[in-house]
Amino acid sequence: MIQRPKHILPLIVISQFAGTSLWFTGNAVLPELKQALNLNQYAVSLVTSAIMLGFIAGTLLFAFLSLADRFSPVRLFFISSIAGAFFNIAITWWAKDASSLFALRFITGFFIAGIYPVGMKIASDWYEKGLGKALGFLLGALIIGTAFPHLLKNRDFQLPWKSVLYFTSLFALIGGIIIILFVGDGPFNKKSGAFQWNALGKIFKSEKWRRAAFGYYGHMWELYTFWGFLPLMLELYAKKSGVDLNIPLLSFLIIAAGSIGSISGGYLSQYFGSAKVASLALFISGICCLLSPLMYSLPSSLFIFFMFAWGFTVSPDSPQFSTLVAQYAPEGLKGTALTIYNSIGFSISTISLIIFDYIFHFDGFWGGQNTFLLLGIGAMFGLPYMFKLIKSN
């Protein structure tokens, strides 16, 4: 039996948290960027989809070349952290308009492709058993990293927007240093050897892998659109109800609640299995989507409770989907399987973000408070595949 140092998982978690803090930095400083660069009303989808498209491009390339399986994933993580940190901070120097901002966020997203899925590959190389629990902590770190820039911009601890970019870049760099100096490649790391042109075909041939992946695709229709539009949802409620909300702080706390959900789901997966935990979370968050038009008429305390419930359940399925995908991947192609499924999932998220940005600003029934009812399509799509997967196990 392989003895695993106790510090491994906490350090992977810290490194993942640090690297993924680059993700939503643009959203956290969006009001200042809109003013400084004269961005239009669709700035949310511009900034968020730019980093998503970069991430998609990166994951497609990394998956096609099977980089995380052919080379050291720890070194890939380290190099990507350095590059992502550089292009994140470069916004303060080179962003002069919407086009240059889009380009810099795109490149940052490209290198996050070497942080997020590769971090999961590193965890799977250390945790062959109990992976659902390990990834619960790891995705919890991703969620805190996603929420972190909102905390830096909340009105009780408000940093200038350039300072937010400097801080997150430094943090990501530290994460890369930790992973290469103190973690290293795990004992279950199996290199695939030479480039395999048919690697993706081998992965998609697995029926159980496809069912888990399709469940994840339904989840990704909802997740990043919810996170991306959360400040606007809170702002809309504040305007309708006439209450004063600390929107950056609430955004941080609601998104961060998902980290508790992910960690809890990791523990539950040890008793009920990853497929059942993922299905339950997808079902509950889907219900929240369908009920979302009603939340704007709730008293502020119930509205905030509803948002926390949504934030808690919108993300625990992510680590369990990743566990299933790693479990059903062909031998030696675990990193490629995680990367390609992320690539497709984030493509769906990007499409969702763009669609919902236009719907949200639509002057009609589907605009405004009724917009996010349509996020429930994701659960309706993904759950049937998960039920089939549970039945086949």
Side-chain angles (χ1 to χ4, degrees):
M1 182 177 177
I2 294 175
Q3 294 295 320
R4 184 173 49 244
K6 293 182 179 179
H7 71 269
I8 292 296
L9 183 58
L11 290 184
I12 297 175
V13 167
I14 291 170
S15 299
Q16 186 85 323
F17 166 54
T20 54
S21 67
L22 300 174
W23 209 307
F24 266 48
T25 302
N27 294 71
V29 299
L30 188 59
E32 291 89 342
L33 285 175
K34 286 175 69 174
Q35 184 175 4
L37 305 180
N38 296 316
L39 304 179
N40 62 26
Q41 64 175 340
Y42 300 112
V44 173
S45 62
L46 170 73
V47 172
T48 309
S49 63
I51 202 161
M52 292 288 197
L53 290 171
F55 181 83
I56 292 162
T59 49
L60 280 174
L61 182 63
F62 288 11
F64 179 73
L65 298 176
S66 297
L67 294 183
D69 292 310
R70 295 170 58 207
F71 304 102
S72 166
V74 162
R75 291 182 182 178
L76 185 58
F77 188 105
F78 174 66
I79 294 169
S80 298
S81 296
I82 294 174
F86 175 80
F87 285 102
N88 180 64
I89 205 171
I91 291 174
T92 64
W93 312 322
W94 298 338
K96 304 300 181 184
D97 52 24
S99 298
S100 55
L101 175 64
F102 184 95
L104 290 168
R105 294 308 284 164
F106 179 92
I107 299 171
T108 303
F110 181 92
F111 287 107
I112 291 176
I115 297 173
Y116 173 35
V118 176
M120 291 191 290
K121 170 64 165 59
I122 294 169
S124 69
D125 289 342
W126 280 100
Y127 291 84
E128 191 171 50
K129 292 183 179 180
L131 183 59
K133 177 182 173 182
L135 290 185
F137 279 97
L138 198 62
L139 269 293
L142 163 68
I143 294 163
I144 295 291
T146 299
F148 189 57
H150 290 290
L151 179 62
L152 296 179
K153 285 301 297 177
N154 107 81
R155 64 193 180 196
D156 297 321
F157 181 58
Q158 189 167 16
L159 292 176
W161 69 274
K162 290 186 178 181
S163 297
V164 173
L165 294 171
Y166 288 135
F167 190 89
T168 51
S169 290
L170 176 62
F171 201 35
L173 179 61
I174 292 171
I177 293 171
I178 289 173
I179 208 83
I180 198 165
L181 291 184
F182 303 109
V183 176
D185 292 321
F188 302 109
N189 180 33
K190 297 180 177 66
K191 292 186 178 181
S192 64
F195 170 70
Q196 299 183 48
W197 65 269
N198 61 340
L200 299 183
K202 289 182 179 179
I203 292 167
F204 279 92
K205 192 175 181 180
S206 169
E207 186 176 16
K208 288 186 175 181
W209 189 92
R210 292 198 308 272
R211 287 173 178 172
F214 286 178
Y216 171 77
Y217 300 152
H219 157 75
M220 290 298 282
W221 173 260
E222 175 189 0
L223 179 64
Y224 276 85
T225 298
F226 174 75
W227 282 349
F229 281 88
L230 178 58
L232 292 181
M233 295 163 74
L234 295 173
E235 182 182 355
L236 180 61
Y237 177 82
K239 288 181 178 179
K240 283 182 172 291
S241 60
V243 299
D244 181 31
L245 298 177
N246 188 338
I247 292 174
L249 180 60
L250 277 174
S251 297
F252 167 77
L253 293 173
I254 291 168
I255 294 173
S259 67
I260 301 173
S262 292
I263 293 169
S264 302
Y267 280 102
L268 289 174
S269 70
Q270 295 183 300
Y271 300 97
F272 302 105
S274 293
K276 290 181 180 178
V277 173
S279 298
L280 179 62
L282 185 59
F283 175 78
I284 296 174
S285 66
I287 294 296
C288 290
C289 297
L290 298 177
L291 294 178
S292 62
L294 304 177
M295 68 185 182
Y296 293 97
S297 59
L298 294 173
S300 58
S301 57
L302 290 179
F303 168 78
I304 292 172
F305 175 81
F306 180 90
M307 295 302 294
F308 269 98
W310 198 351
F312 182 86
T313 58
V314 74
S315 52
D317 35 358
S318 276
Q320 304 315 315
F321 283 128
S322 298
T323 300
L324 293 167
V325 163
Q327 178 183 338
Y328 297 129
E331 186 74 14
L333 291 174
K334 193 183 298 182
T336 303
L338 285 165
T339 305
I340 190 61
Y341 116 114
N342 269 284
S343 182
I344 297 172
F346 280 89
S347 298
I348 292 169
S349 288
T350 303
I351 294 169
S352 175
L353 279 161
I354 294 171
I355 289 174
F356 277 87
D357 202 9
Y358 279 92
I359 295 174
F360 184 77
H361 294 98
F362 181 69
D363 187 18
F365 175 79
W366 290 112
Q369 70 181 53
N370 293 325
T371 303
F372 303 100
L373 167 70
L374 298 173
L375 284 179
I377 293 172
M380 294 178 186
F381 173 83
L383 283 171
Y385 289 100
M386 293 308 297
F387 293 154
K388 291 178 182 177
L389 181 61
I390 292 170
K391 189 176 180 181
S392 67
N393 286 337

